[in-house]
Amino acid sequence: MNIVPFSPGVGAVVNDLQLATMTESELTELRAAFTEYGLLFFRDQDLPPEEHLRFANRFGSIVVNKFFKTTQESPQIAEVRKEKTQQTNIGGGWHTDHSYDDIPALGSILVARTLPETGGDTQFANLAAAYDALPDNLKKKLEGLRAVHSNTHLYGENGLYRLTDLNDQLGGMDRVGDATHPVVIRHPESDRKVLYVNPGHTIQFEGWDFTESRTLLDELYAHVMQPQFTCSFNWLPGSVTFWDNRCTWHQANNDYQGQARLMHRITIAGSPLAAA
Ligand code: OGA
Ligand code: MN
């Protein structure tokens, strides 16, 4: 196995490893790389749905998304689908998966199944690096703060996605809900401090009013979106990405209108998040 940084501050590419036939010692090495980088890219994988499931189960236990359709192959694999005729895509804005759960998901393993000829990259951001680079006065301001994370504004009645042509693919309107988490968490494995708010799901700081929250959240988001904390991954047939939802954000580019894109996603269960 050969692990090389993908961009100066975000992610790594794992070469010379086939996930489907990985040994126990390779899995141990992969766990260490996942802790170090929080975002791993793989090329030229042969990972049919049953092997995708087996890899996920070797890493942890699977959690099922409450809103996405699942595949014919397995109720544990979510479909991230955009049809040729569809305008809106899933995950088109910066977010992290499942931060609205009390115990947010550890990570997600995304496998390319159908790709557009061009476009459809996924962008990622490194929230541990972004936290480290915050000015001291801002770090101080965030100490002890908690934030509310929700999905109601996306998947609830009149939620953003409900008003688009994505709605037909989504279920679980009644399963919406909120959770609160510390704004700066201590990553359970790497022990690093991480900025744990995201544009998709974070609504406001607990005990703050909405406008006041918005101002600080927007300042933090602008900081994270700087080029040194972000990268863009171009999918090819056989590409797989495994990201840590506790220390990354991602968003799917929607720049391939008129073409289809289908990804399979398995999400792995995490552990409760503690303040740093
Ligand atoms: C996801 C997601 C991004 C993509 O699967 O959680 O946001 O590029 N997907 O499809
Ligand atoms: Mn996502």
Side-chain angles (χ1 to χ4, degrees), residues 19-64:
L19 290 166
T21 54
M22 168 171 66
T23 63
E24 277 305 306
S25 75
E26 284 173 328
L27 177 59
T28 303
E29 212 178 317
L30 193 72
R31 280 186 198 282
F34 187 72
T35 299
E36 182 177 348
Y37 291 98
L39 172 62
L40 300 176
F41 301 114
F42 309 83
R43 297 287 192 193
D44 302 316
Q45 297 294 310
D46 185 10
L47 206 66
E50 65 276 14
E51 291 299 336
H52 188 186
L53 280 164
R54 204 170 69 85
F55 169 40
N57 277 312
R58 287 178 79 185
F59 208 92
S61 54
I62 293 171
V63 286
V64 176

Side-chain angles (χ1 to χ4, degrees), residues 64-273:
V64 176
N65 185 278
K66 290 184 270 203
F67 308 107
F68 295 172
K69 264 196 184 149
T70 58
T71 60
Q72 278 184 337
E73 289 87 351
S74 166
Q76 292 186 304
I77 305 179
E79 271 191 353
V80 178
R81 177 186 287 279
K82 184 167 185 256
E83 304 283 9
K84 270 186 193 172
T85 51
Q86 206 177 307
Q87 300 294 308
T88 310
N89 67 335
I90 292 177
W94 284 113
H95 67 283
T96 187
D97 302 332
H98 294 203
S99 72
Y100 47 74
D101 286 339
D102 283 328
I103 301 181
L106 174 151
S108 304
I109 306 166
L110 196 65
V111 177
R113 297 297 179 204
T114 303
L115 292 171
E117 267 173 34
T118 59
D121 286 12
T122 308
Q123 295 183 56
F124 293 91
N126 179 340
L127 275 293
Y131 175 80
D132 288 344
L134 284 174
D136 284 343
N137 65 330
L138 205 43
K139 284 182 177 164
K140 196 103 203 122
K141 195 169 182 179
L142 300 179
E143 250 175 52
L145 280 184
R146 295 178 66 83
V148 183
H149 297 246
S150 184
N151 47 37
T152 309
H153 58 295
L154 300 174
Y155 301 100
E157 212 185 332
N158 298 321
L160 210 61
Y161 279 149
R162 300 292 174 192
L163 309 172
T164 69
D165 56 4
L166 246 182
N167 185 34
D168 308 345
Q169 279 186 39
L170 302 171
M173 200 181 290
D174 52 335
R175 295 189 204 154
V176 292
D178 300 354
T180 69
H181 302 292
V183 168
V184 182
I185 59 161
R186 176 77 61 184
H187 189 281
E189 279 93 41
S190 73
D191 214 37
R192 287 183 75 176
K193 287 185 174 188
V194 183
L195 179 63
Y196 193 74
V197 288
N198 71 85
H201 300 301
T202 312
I203 301 301
Q204 65 178 105
F205 298 108
E206 202 174 46
W208 288 34
D209 75 40
F210 185 79
T211 317
E212 211 185 356
S213 298
R214 197 67 271 153
T215 307
L216 180 53
L217 285 171
D218 287 344
E219 185 184 346
L220 295 170
Y221 296 159
H223 169 78
V224 178
M225 288 172 197
Q226 296 181 89
Q228 65 270 38
F229 307 125
T230 59
C231 73
S232 187
F233 181 70
N234 65 313
W235 294 89
L236 297 168
S239 296
V240 175
T241 296
F242 183 17
W243 64 79
D244 187 326
N245 282 310
R246 289 89 45 96
C247 58
T248 61
W249 291 350
H250 58 278
Q251 71 171 348
N253 287 355
N254 189 9
D255 55 356
Y256 54 96
Q257 296 299 359
Q259 296 184 72
R261 181 174 181 271
L262 173 65
M263 318 295 269
H264 281 183
R265 188 182 103 185
I266 299 181
T267 303
I268 305 202
S271 49
L273 298 176

